[in-house]
């Protein structure tokens, strides 16, 4: 064999050895292989919307529909309206509320009331009006916290603040006599919700506290005839509300309920004085009344 042939064979052997070595090294090095990683995974806008819908559906399926509650670590918002039939006339309120993922609960309400010509159980010594009364309105704020005691039992303690005009007492007659009222209340309460089934959740809500009723009026008879008088009545109130949330769809619920309201009056000297003595004839009797109502809630 010539020297030239030997050299060619050596070169070919070296080339083959280099190719085999490189192939083997590539197999050992995972960085040279293409593999799917998180950075290669992307979601379209429609995929994100679908995932959000699935998450919301799961959240609402676990939500009882009762205001002031939410599935654990979830935020539920709701809005709606309620119609209440009271002894002195029907009233309507609109509400907006959230129970946050951290358990904090808040709710705002705006009331409007049609004051009828009827006896007011909270002020039994004031006669029914002889003409149509002006309408009342009120604002309410509730602040509380939702405790998940068990998987089917929640407690929501809260503070309720109220401010209203002609919601507590109003009187007018054809002789020019009138009484108007402004009321301010600080009430505390707690709500117990029993999540019996995914669509049926009875509850008991008990709250009470102090209400200040400021009166303004004019009587055409007696010692202070045709003079505008002011007075105040401090009330102790206790309300027991019983109802149930009934889910009619994923987002909607109807909540029928009944209230039992007890009121004890502590009028000042002007408020307790008779009409002939320039007062408003308010007694310190304790009274009770019932309210029947239904609420509609839309949640998300």
């Amino acid at each position: 064999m010539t020297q030239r042939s030997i050299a060619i064979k050596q070169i070919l052997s070296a080339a083959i050895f280099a190719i085999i070595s490189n192939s083997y090294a590539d197999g050992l090095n995972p960085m040279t292989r293409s593999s799917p990683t998180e950075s290669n995974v992307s979601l379209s806008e429609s995929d994100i919307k679908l995932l959000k819908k699935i998450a919301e559906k799961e959240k609402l399926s676990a939500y009882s529909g009762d205001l002031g509650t939410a599935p654990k670590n979830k935020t539920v918002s709701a809005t709606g309206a309620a119609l209440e039939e009271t002894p002195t006339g029907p009233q309507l309120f609109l509400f907006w509320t959230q129970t946050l993922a951290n358990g904090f609960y808040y709710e705002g309400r705006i009331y409007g009331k049609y004051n009828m010509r009827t006896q007011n159980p909270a002020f039994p010594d004031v006669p029914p009006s002889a003409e149509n009364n002006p309408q009342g309105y009120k604002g309410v704020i509730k602040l509380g916290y939702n405790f998940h005691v068990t998987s089917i039992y929640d407690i929501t303690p809260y503070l309720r603040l109220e401010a209203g005009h002609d919601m507590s007492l109003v009187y007018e007659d054809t002789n020019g006599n009138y009484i108007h009222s402004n009321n301010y209340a600080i009430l505390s309460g707690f709500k117990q919700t029993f999540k019996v089934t995914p669509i049926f959740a009875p509850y008991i809500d008990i709250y009470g506290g102090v209400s200040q009723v400021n009166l303004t009026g004019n009587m055409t008879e007696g010692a202070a005839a045709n003079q505008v008088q002011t007075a105040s009545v401090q009330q102790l109130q206790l309300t027991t509300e019983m109802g149930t949330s009934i889910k009619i769809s994923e987002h909607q619920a109807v909540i029928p309920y009944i209230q039992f309201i007890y009121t004890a009056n502590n009028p000042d000297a002007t408020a307790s004085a008779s009409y002939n003595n320039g007062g408003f004839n308010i007694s310190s009797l304790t009274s009770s009344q019932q309210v029947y109502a239904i609420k509609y809630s839309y949640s998300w």
Side-chain angles (χ1 to χ4, degrees), residues 174-279:
T174 54
N175 296 323
N177 300 313
Y178 70 88
I179 303 173
H180 295 302
S181 64
N182 292 310
N183 70 287
Y184 308 92
I186 300 178
L187 310 169
S188 61
F190 69 97
K191 187 176 191 177
Q192 302 176 77
T193 302
F194 307 90
K195 296 172 283 188
V196 177
T197 71
I199 63 171
F200 184 72
Y203 70 87
I204 299 175
D205 188 359
I206 301 173
Y207 60 92
V210 179
S211 176
Q212 180 75 20
V213 183
N214 297 328
L215 304 175
T216 302
N218 177 40
M219 297 299 163
T220 59
E221 302 173 356
N226 297 314
Q227 296 180 27
V228 177
Q229 300 291 316
T230 59
S232 66
V233 180
Q234 190 177 78
Q235 293 182 320
L236 296 177
Q237 296 182 357
L238 179 64
T239 300
T240 300
E241 178 178 314
M242 295 184 292
T244 184
S245 173
I246 304 170
K247 292 184 72 173
I248 57 176
S249 74
E250 185 178 88
H251 294 272
Q252 302 176 87
V254 292
I255 307 170
Y257 59 93
I258 182 173
Q259 293 178 340
F260 301 92
I261 304 172
Y262 301 92
T263 307
N265 294 326
N266 182 23
D268 65 10
T270 302
S272 60
S274 65
Y275 298 132
N276 290 334
N277 292 322

Side-chain angles (χ1 to χ4, degrees), residues 83-92 112-121 123 126-137 165-173 179-180 289-290:
L83 178 63
E84 298 182 334
E85 181 61 41
T86 78
T88 56
Q91 60 189 35
L92 172 75
K113 181 176 182 179
Y114 180 75
N115 286 306
M116 300 174 65
R117 289 180 285 179
T118 183
Q119 186 76 42
N120 189 331
F123 301 93
V126 179
S129 297
E131 62 182 35
N132 288 330
N133 294 313
Q135 312 317 316
Y137 52 87
H165 176 70
D166 283 345
M167 292 289 291
S168 182
L169 175 63
V170 60
Y171 172 87
E172 289 200 14
D173 65 24
I179 303 173
H180 295 302
Q289 56 183 302
Q290 289 79 46

